[in-house]
């Protein structure tokens, strides 16, 4: 016996569950299949629980710097298990929230592992039982998992992926973080603020390599000042796990290999898409280096089968997955959505200080042939930043000198992950420098720096 739906979605991360809600809104009879927990990596093991941990380390940092604010705090400490429990509780609350949303929108949830067996058929394995689902349309939203080092698989004891690092059995004393993308830098920031001795190793010449070069350079200085050791242009050639820790063979810029002891290692070298054993090969669904190939409406090469989110490639972000899902479903329902594009997707790193950006870096804008005007405003010139005791950072804007188009914005400092959306909206509305300069920003706010940065690009900054 099989059940029939207009749409079946395989995987319930921010790609899958958001697509399901939109499909239900548009009147499609929808089912979602999940083998683990509703909400996917983002809610359960990614975006949300890491931000809960980072909130703890931020507050802990303020407590250890209470004096700076005229306060006194004595006997400051923490209970690692309680810290982790809070993060898991937050994830649990959101997981329950997604369950509620599925119910409210009448999306049928199938718990189990799904496999595509035909263009219109998906089989869900639920223990010993197989449930067959028939669908006019199937969206693959199976996400991705942590990439292991080829020479040392994460064991959860000494060598951790993000999953282990989120529920640490003990506090690392000396931590090696391999990889300096957003995930690596966030964990480095968390554990450093909680008191671990942290080293980051990055193969490329600079940390946060996708960000503007000035942002990477600023973060390099800021994290070094906080006590994190940064080894760029450096690789890890081997990890030997012993009784009390891990010996890492670190190959420096000069090619010399040195051995250093660490208590724990976090491997944050990227992700692997979940495309195995879901029936793609038998149906002839094309992939490119593991990622499912799709067009701007998330259509694969096989009619009726679509893919969204991490499984289709970068940027590997929750909001990218959700947006791709909405475009996909609206096209299925016969609406005429704008096709999915990546030009205006913001990226955020929630370390201390935070990093946020959208659009082209200065170097990429120049490479693309733009003559640019660049504005840069420092946090030290902003009253609110000084009042907050957060005077480190800057906001950089990159404009096309001829048209006034805002090509990119790059921020580092307190709360910039909340600020970036202002520029994202501006770019979506094709705003030019003139409208941004005319806009009134509330005082005192950090957002005034967004205004000043634009003014600065045209030689008109006021407070510097
Ligand atoms: C530590 C960490 C921090 C992050 N922080 C951020 C952040 O701050 N902001 C941000 O935008 N992004 C962040 N990300 C990335 C974000 O989590 C992903 O981009 C996002 O979850 C991708 O969504 P998705 O729907 O494509 O897939 P996922 O969230 O991976 O969901 C896929 C789901 O499919 C299920 N599934 C897979 N195969 C099957 C099968 N055969 N049958 C049934 N179910 C299956 C999985 O169990 C999973 O639940 C972070 C990631 C990590 C690891």
């Amino acid at each position: 016996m099989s059940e029939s739906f207009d749409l079946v979605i395989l995987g319930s991360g921010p790609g899958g569950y958001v697509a399901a809600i939109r499909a239900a809104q548009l009147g499609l009879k929808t089912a979602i299949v999940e083998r683990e927990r509703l909400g996917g990596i983002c809610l359960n093991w990614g975006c949300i629980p890491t931000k809960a941990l980072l909130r703890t380390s931020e507050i802990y940092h303020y407590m250890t710097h209470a004096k700076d604010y005229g306060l006194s705090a004595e006997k400051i400490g923490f209970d690692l298990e309680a810290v982790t429990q809070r993060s898991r509780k937050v994830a649990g609350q959101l997981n329950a929230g997604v369950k509620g949303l599925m119910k409210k929108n009448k999306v049928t949830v199938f718990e189990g592992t799904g496999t595509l067996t035909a263009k219109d058929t998906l089989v869900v394995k639920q223990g010993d039982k197989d449930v067959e689902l028939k669908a006019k349309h199937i969206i693959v939203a199976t996400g991705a998992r942590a990439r292991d080092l080829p020479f040392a698989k994460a064991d959860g004891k000494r060598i951790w992926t993000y999953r282990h690092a989120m529920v640490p059995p003990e506090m690392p004393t000396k931590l090696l973080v391999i990889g300096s993308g957003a995930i690596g830098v966030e964990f480095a920031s968390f554990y450093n603020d909680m008191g671990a001795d942290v080293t980051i190793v990055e193969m490329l010449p600079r940390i946060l390599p996708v960000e503007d070069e000035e942002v990477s350079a600023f973060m390099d200085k800021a994290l070094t000042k906080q006590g994190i050791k940064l080894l760029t242009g450096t690789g890890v050639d081997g990890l030997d796990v012993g009784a009390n820790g891990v010996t890492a063979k670190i190959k420096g810029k000069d090619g010399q290999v040195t051995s250093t002891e660490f208590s724990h290692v976090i491997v944050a070298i990227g992700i692997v898409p979940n495309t195995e054993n879901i029936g793609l090969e038998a149906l002839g669904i094309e992939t490119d280096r593991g990622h499912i190939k799709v067009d701007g409406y998330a259509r694969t090469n096989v009619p009726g089968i679509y893919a969204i989110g991490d499984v289709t490639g970068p940027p590997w972000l929750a909001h990218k997955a959700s947006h791709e899902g909405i475009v996909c479903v609206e096209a299925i329902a016969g609406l005429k959505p704008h096709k999915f594009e990546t030009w205006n997707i913001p990226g955020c790193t929630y370390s201390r200080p935070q990093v946020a950006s959208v659009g082209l870096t200065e170097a990429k804008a120049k490479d693309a042939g733009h003559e640019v005007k660049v504005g840069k405003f420092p946090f030290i010139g902003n009253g609110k930043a000084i009042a907050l005791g957060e005077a480190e950072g800057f906001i950089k804007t990159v404009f096309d000198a001829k048209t006034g188009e805002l090509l990119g914005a790059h921020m580092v400092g307190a709360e910039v992950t909340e600020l970036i959306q202002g520029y994202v909206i501006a770019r979506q509305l094709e705003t030019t420098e003139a409208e941004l300069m005319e806009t009134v920003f509330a005082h005192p706010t950090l957002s005034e720096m967004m205004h000043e940065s634009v003014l600065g690009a045209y030689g008109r900054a006021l407070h510097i």
Side-chain angles (χ1 to χ4, degrees):
M1 250 240 324
S2 62
E3 276 195 66
S4 294
F5 295 88
D6 295 321
L7 174 65
V8 172
I9 301 171
L10 184 58
S12 74
Y17 90 77
V18 169
I21 294 172
R22 186 69 187 120
Q25 286 172 349
L26 291 167
L28 300 179
K29 187 182 173 202
T30 305
I32 197 159
V33 182
E34 175 55 57
R35 67 181 175 192
E36 228 182 287
R37 286 170 68 82
L38 286 176
I41 294 301
C42 175
L43 262 66
N44 297 293
W45 294 104
C47 327
I48 299 295
T50 48
K51 271 74 240 181
L53 292 176
L54 284 157
R55 176 70 171 151
T56 292
S57 59
E58 184 184 44
I59 293 173
Y60 190 58
H61 163 77
Y62 286 130
M63 286 170 75
T64 52
H65 290 77
K67 252 190 169 169
D68 299 351
Y69 297 87
L71 305 171
S72 60
E74 277 154 35
K75 289 196 187 150
I76 303 159
F78 62 88
D79 169 352
L80 187 62
E81 205 184 316
V83 170
T84 308
Q85 281 310 317
R86 177 178 177 272
S87 164
R88 297 322 302 157
K89 201 172 150 202
V90 170
Q93 188 175 337
L94 280 139
N95 164 257
V98 175
K99 262 187 211 152
L101 288 170
M102 293 300 99
K103 202 168 163 206
K104 180 184 156 208
N105 286 284
K106 301 191 174 51
V107 173
T108 311
V109 177
F110 290 91
E111 287 175 13
T113 301
T115 312
L116 289 151
T117 53
K119 260 171 59 174
D120 63 349
T121 314
L122 206 140
V123 171
V124 186
K125 197 152 199 51
Q126 298 180 319
D128 295 341
K129 195 174 86 180
D130 281 356
V131 179
E132 189 179 79
L133 309 180
K134 289 276 178 194
K136 289 184 199 138
H137 307 275
I138 296 176
I139 299 179
V140 179
T142 47
R145 60 186 183 275
R147 181 180 292 281
D148 263 318
L149 285 166
F151 49 80
K153 232 177 131 41
D155 61 5
K157 293 193 179 88
R158 295 286 170 187
I159 306 178
W160 295 347
T161 65
Y162 60 81
R163 286 213 186 206
H164 310 116
M166 233 173 284
V167 285
E170 70 254 330
M171 182 65 195
T173 46
K174 200 166 172 221
L175 175 68
L176 173 65
V177 177
I178 307 177
S180 76
I183 294 176
V185 168
E186 285 183 7
F187 278 117
S189 186
F190 169 74
Y191 280 111
N192 185 60
D193 275 346
M194 298 303 284
D197 175 351
V198 179
T199 300
I200 302 180
V201 167
E202 168 60 57
M203 287 270 267
L204 293 172
R206 58 192 175 93
I207 60 161
L208 291 169
V210 300
E211 299 295 344
D212 190 274
E213 278 176 40
E214 287 192 81
V215 169
S216 294
F218 186 96
M219 282 299 282
D220 195 306
K221 272 199 194 134
L223 297 183
T224 304
K225 202 168 130 196
Q226 290 178 23
I228 297 179
K229 291 173 210 66
L230 298 174
L231 304 174
T232 53
T234 300
V236 175
D237 274 8
L239 293 177
D240 290 323
V241 179
N244 302 313
V246 188
T247 308
K249 291 196 181 73
I250 298 178
K251 189 175 184 183
K253 282 181 186 147
D254 54 6
Q256 292 283 333
V257 178
T258 50
S259 289
T260 312
E261 298 284 326
F262 294 92
S263 69
H264 298 83
V265 178
I266 296 177
V267 181
I269 55 168
I271 53 103
V272 185
N274 294 326
T275 46
E276 306 91 346
N277 309 319
I278 52 171
L280 299 184
E281 300 82 1
L283 291 173
I285 296 171
E286 285 177 9
T287 56
D288 179 14
R289 277 160 290 175
H291 288 107
I292 300 177
K293 279 168 80 173
V294 288
D295 68 7
Y297 297 97
R299 295 180 291 215
T300 68
N301 61 311
V302 176
I305 301 184
Y306 313 77
I308 58 171
D310 278 7
V311 80
T312 69
W316 297 286
L317 294 168
H319 41 287
K320 176 261 190 184
S322 301
H323 185 62
E324 213 175 7
I326 286 171
V327 171
C328 173
V329 165
E330 290 187 349
I332 288 173
L335 305 184
K336 295 207 170 355
H338 291 295
K339 71 174 185 190
F340 172 80
E341 286 179 293
T342 54
W343 69 277
N344 205 22
I345 297 180
C348 297
T349 304
Y350 299 76
S351 46
R352 191 176 62 76
Q354 297 181 353
V355 174
S357 62
V358 66
L360 299 178
T361 62
E362 183 178 349
K364 286 225 169 97
K366 286 178 179 161
D367 287 350
H370 294 278
E371 190 191 317
V372 298
K373 276 196 188 290
V374 176
K376 201 172 145 196
F377 192 84
F379 271 52
I380 192 73
N382 176 268
K384 177 76 182 288
I386 296 170
L388 291 177
E390 297 287 356
E392 270 190 25
F394 66 81
I395 294 184
K396 174 173 174 176
T397 42
V398 182
F399 288 90
D400 182 290
K402 291 195 188 105
T403 62
E405 180 190 351
L406 178 58
L407 298 170
H410 310 278
M411 308 175 163
V412 54
E415 302 305 336
V416 295
T417 55
E418 295 293 337
L419 296 182
I420 193 69
Q421 201 58 28
Y423 286 139
V424 178
I425 294 170
R427 279 162 52 81
Q428 194 71 28
L429 300 177
E430 298 182 8
T431 308
T432 64
E433 91 292 3
E435 287 126 346
L436 284 166
M437 284 199 257
E438 273 176 29
T439 304
V440 178
F441 287 73
H443 176 77
T445 61
L446 297 175
S447 71
E448 287 174 284
M449 289 184 283
M450 296 170 67
H451 194 209
E452 291 275 15
S453 177
V454 177
L455 293 171
Y458 291 84
R460 289 178 43 184
L462 298 166
H463 293 91
I464 190 146

